[in-house]
Amino acid sequence: MEHIEQIAHEIENLKKKLAWAWVYNVDKKIGKQEETLEKLKERIPACQERIDRNTAIIEELRKEFIVKEENFRSFLEKTREARRMKEKMDHDICEEYFEKASTICAETEVEALGGVDGSIEQLSACITKLKQKIQQESRRYTETIDNLRALHDKKGQKILRKQQIYAGFRDKLNACQKALDLRWMKFQRNAGLLKRQLTWLFNEHLGKKGISGHINVDYKNEVLSVELTMPQDASRDTIRDTRGLSGGERSFSTLCFTLSLHGMTEAPFRAMDEFDVFM
């Protein structure tokens, strides 16, 4: 029991020592902090001096920053103005090139040719090559392009006049051809009517003796043939060769043919010579 009390007494003493150990430790730390604080207080003037110096530097930097900011804003405004001027210049240049290109040819003509199928350098090289070729051809031929163009215009005007004259002659020729076709149609019609009229008149005169006949006229071969049918012929065969007729029949048929021709003649006077050779 005494031993327990002794241990409890030692524990109580240790607690007291521990409590004061904490106090001493805190005092020690406070002392160190005070020493550190004193050192810091000693450094305050130097730090304040550095702060003042840095503050002055910051103020100068702020002023410089303000100046730089103003310069930057001015530069930015100038940049925007330059960009607007560049866009305007690009637009003006584009319009100028468009007007120059339009004076050479319309855009629709280029589209009809298949569009621009090469770069500016390629097209310029092609134009240079063609110019060199033109110079070579110019050295080969003494005539200038202006003279050739004038000669071409002169020949073109001459060809145009010839074409106009040809068109006039063609119109006249067409009119003549049309009139000729119309007259040929009338001639064919009149030829057929005259052939029928001749046959009718021939039959009219032959019918006085009971004879019938027909006259064939071949205008193409210029052949005229007479066909007769005699009343006493029982077979009613047509006689196509007048040599098969008697002298009187031949004379009568010849007289009927002559009278038929006289009936178609529009002359006011008619004369016959030796009409009775075979009568």
Side-chain angles (χ1 to χ4, degrees), residues 32-43:
K32 290 181 179 181
Q33 292 294 331
E34 288 178 353
E35 291 177 359
T36 304
L37 184 60
E38 289 296 331
K39 291 179 180 180
L40 291 175
K41 286 180 179 180
E42 292 176 357
R43 294 178 59 186

Side-chain angles (χ1 to χ4, degrees), residues 1 17 19 52 58 66 118 132 152 195 197 223 233 248 256:
M1 190 68 180
K17 289 180 180 181
D52 295 338
I58 290 171
I66 293 171
Q132 293 176 356
H152 176 269
K195 184 169 65 173
Q197 185 180 2
V223 175
D233 191 355
C256 290

